[in-house]
Amino acid sequence: MSRDANPDQALHAARRQRALDALGDGLLILPTAVESPRNGDVLHDYRPGSDFHFLTGFPEPEAVLLASRRGRGRHHSVLFVRPRDREREIWDGRRHGVAGARRRFGVDEAFEIGSFWRELPRFLAPHARVFHRLGADPAFDRRLFEVFAGEARRHRRQAPPAHPVLQDPLPALAAMRLVKDSAEQRALHAAAAVTVAGHVAAMQAARPGLHEYEVQAVLEAEFRRRGSVRNGYPSIVASGPNACVLHYHDNDRRLRPGDLLLIDAGAELQGCTADVTRTFPVAGRFTPAQAAVYRVVLRAQLAGIAACRAGAPWDAAHRVCVRWLTRGLVELGVLRGDVRALVRGQRFKPFYMHGTSHWLGRDVHDVGAYQDDAGRAAVLRPGMVLTVEPGLYFAAGDRRVPAELRGIGIRIEDDVLVTRGTPQVLTAAAPKELEAVERACGRQPGRAAVRRKARAQPGS
Ligand code: GLY
Ligand code: MN
Ligand code: MN
């Protein structure tokens, strides 16, 4: 069975009920993600749609969920899925099929996906409202409007509305996904643990002479070894000045002895992803300049994490981080003047040009509003998960900064669960204090073996 399958029927039925209770009366039409061609007859690796998987646990492409409320505390769910097909399963692998979808995923009815447009009108008929998000698949949207138009023609002698009103379900689903339920919290803990293991393996493996992609291979091998199906986003493995490219992805430079290596990578597990950045010295020791910048970023990050408390605005961490980073920029001799005035003037921007946090969950930049309708910042509540990821970036040729800082890019990123009390850092096990990072980099199996060999063979 695909590792994306989650046949916890009670969990998904409860999520569907909550979603429908939030949406109200109407029919939810939710297709999963569309397969994406890579070249010729080859497809990109498939990942189920996040909302669809959240509400069904069903892993296969070419599937649609129909769901509607049936009075208080009850609902009706229908899955349209690919049929069993002996020939196709020889080529592409096993399918759950119609009977499997119904039995394993606990929906009330299941049909072949090929019958979807034929069956849809009878499911639509009792509903004055349809919940469907436009834009993911224009061909699907067009067909849906054709069905609406057909219904309108059929009912032209009736009082309006002859076809249903269309409403976007995303705000309700996003609000639900924003506060993680206990299953999602467990998945995020699991993704965090695997991600930490990958980062530690990378710290141990990195050494001058390797390419960034070789370290990436170690990191991602550890993710896979520990059961992660895929990465939550493309791994950033950025050595030396490449760390100043925020979404660097070439990952092809050779590591040099004085380099820092910035790795921003997260393993996806049980549908959720972690998002962790660590920056460490390739040769195992920070230079004094690197250490000075590192301490500034770390101090800001720890203060930012402490600000992620229930009741605070979601961007409290950002406000705290820019204050500490700006103070650090003064201490490092990059900026001069009063820290408050420098913060007000956003003078940190050339060296800290991104935000400090985003929601995290099924998607690395997860769904969820950052402000309410009146423009007020979202308020943190227990169960929300967000990143705290300050950094400082001094480009190699930047003559505004002291020469010894040029080419240094450092980001430190952790995943934080908001609780009723102290924020819980899901990724706390990844070495972060400067000395702990150096120790982790020093514990290289390869190096230890070299030392043992040298001791065993004096003079070699
Ligand atoms: N890895 C992408 C981010 O940190 O937002
Ligand atoms: Mn992030
Ligand atoms: Mn990241």
Side-chain angles (χ1 to χ4, degrees):
M1 205 193 306
S2 155
R3 283 185 292 157
D4 286 321
N6 183 347
D8 184 337
Q9 300 187 6
L11 172 72
H12 295 103
R15 284 180 181 163
R16 289 194 295 274
Q17 187 69 51
R18 276 181 56 211
L20 292 164
D21 286 344
L23 288 166
D25 288 332
L27 180 70
L28 173 65
I29 304 180
L30 184 61
T32 191
V34 181
E35 289 177 302
S36 150
R38 181 182 185 275
N39 58 275
D41 57 356
V42 177
L43 302 172
H44 281 287
D45 287 347
Y46 183 73
R47 178 179 183 272
S50 293
D51 285 327
F52 178 86
H53 193 257
F54 178 67
L55 294 182
T56 64
F58 191 75
E60 294 175 20
E62 298 183 80
V64 183
L65 169 71
L66 296 183
S68 57
R69 240 169 23 149
R70 290 272 165 99
R72 266 182 93 79
R74 289 179 55 235
H75 72 277
H76 185 83
S77 308
V78 184
L79 266 180
F80 288 82
V81 302
R82 300 182 307 189
R84 297 295 307 269
D85 181 328
R86 186 192 289 265
E87 169 74 6
R88 285 313 324 159
E89 289 180 54
I90 286 172
W91 288 90
D92 303 328
R94 266 182 70 91
R95 299 174 171 188
H96 289 287
V98 171
R102 212 169 90 79
R103 202 175 58 248
R104 293 189 200 109
F105 296 88
V107 287
D108 300 293
E109 296 181 81
F111 298 93
E112 294 189 6
I113 187 68
S115 68
F116 177 74
W117 296 108
R118 210 167 51 245
E119 298 280 355
L120 181 62
R122 84 181 160 89
F123 286 104
L124 269 178
H127 296 288
R129 246 189 333 170
V130 160
F131 306 109
H132 171 69
R133 171 96 170 162
L134 296 175
D137 180 358
F140 187 98
D141 297 346
R142 264 196 308 279
R143 295 278 309 256
L144 186 61
F145 283 136
E146 281 168 21
V147 172
F148 283 11
E151 290 302 288
R153 273 194 300 278
R154 251 165 23 91
H155 299 292
R156 64 183 175 279
R157 290 173 191 278
Q158 294 174 3
H163 64 66
V165 172
L166 186 66
Q167 185 179 319
D168 185 356
L170 192 88
L173 295 176
M176 222 179 125
R177 281 174 50 192
L178 180 53
V179 179
K180 274 62 188 172
D181 61 28
S182 53
E184 289 218 301
Q185 289 188 24
R186 279 196 301 279
L188 281 160
H189 273 287
V194 170
T195 298
V196 166
H199 278 264
V200 170
M203 285 180 189
Q204 291 175 346
R207 60 173 186 274
L210 290 184
H211 290 88
E212 293 163 344
Y213 53 75
E214 293 176 87
V215 181
Q216 179 183 0
V218 171
L219 169 95
E220 296 180 359
E222 195 64 20
F223 288 176
R224 298 296 91 78
R225 218 169 63 73
R226 290 175 182 261
S228 154
V229 191
R230 61 179 72 81
N231 299 351
Y233 54 94
S235 301
I236 298 167
V237 183
S239 63
N242 291 340
C244 298
V245 181
L246 299 178
H247 286 169
Y248 175 73
H249 55 253
D250 286 344
N251 295 0
D252 62 354
R253 182 175 170 275
R254 198 189 277 272
L255 311 184
R256 300 204 193 134
D259 284 346
L260 291 177
L261 184 60
L262 180 156
I263 298 185
D264 183 345
E268 182 179 303
L269 218 78
Q270 300 164 25
C272 290
T273 187
D275 179 8
V276 171
T277 308
R278 287 294 183 267
T279 311
F280 57 91
V282 163
R285 288 279 173 272
F286 286 92
T287 65
Q290 291 167 347
V293 181
Y294 191 90
R295 288 188 207 282
V296 166
V297 176
L298 180 58
R299 184 176 62 183
Q301 205 240 10
L302 293 172
I305 289 171
C308 295
R309 297 187 75 96
W314 78 276
D315 56 354
H318 182 66
R319 292 165 196 273
V320 168
C321 282
V322 296
R323 269 206 306 276
W324 282 104
L325 291 175
T326 303
R327 178 186 287 205
L329 287 167
V330 172
E331 291 164 359
L332 293 167
V334 176
L335 297 179
R336 252 191 280 277
D338 173 60
V339 170
R340 278 193 195 185
L342 292 169
V343 169
R344 266 201 309 279
Q346 303 211 322
R347 297 282 303 281
F348 55 85
K349 272 268 166 111
F351 316 106
Y352 183 49
M353 57 296 276
H354 59 77
T356 299
S357 303
H358 53 80
W359 306 128
L360 181 73
R362 293 186 164 257
D363 303 337
V364 62
H365 296 162
D366 208 29
V367 291
Y370 289 94
Q371 54 184 36
D372 64 16
D373 291 343
R376 285 183 299 256
V379 172
L380 294 178
R381 282 178 282 153
M384 292 178 170
V385 176
L386 72 168
T387 63
V388 179
E389 49 179 305
L392 284 177
Y393 310 93
F394 303 118
D398 192 340
R399 305 180 76 84
R400 294 169 298 185
V401 304
E404 68 273 16
L405 299 183
R406 293 177 202 158
I408 295 179
I410 293 175
R411 176 165 67 255
I412 306 174
E413 174 174 27
D414 279 302
D415 305 339
V416 177
L417 170 67
V418 180
T419 72
R420 286 181 210 290
T422 312
Q424 185 179 3
V425 182
L426 302 177
T427 46
K432 185 163 75 171
E433 293 295 334
L434 188 142
E435 298 75 18
V437 169
E438 288 189 340
R439 268 199 307 281
C441 296
R443 265 202 321 266
Q444 296 177 3
R447 285 185 189 173
V450 169
R451 278 198 298 275
R452 270 199 308 279
K453 202 167 143 205
R455 276 200 298 275
Q457 303 171 348
S460 70

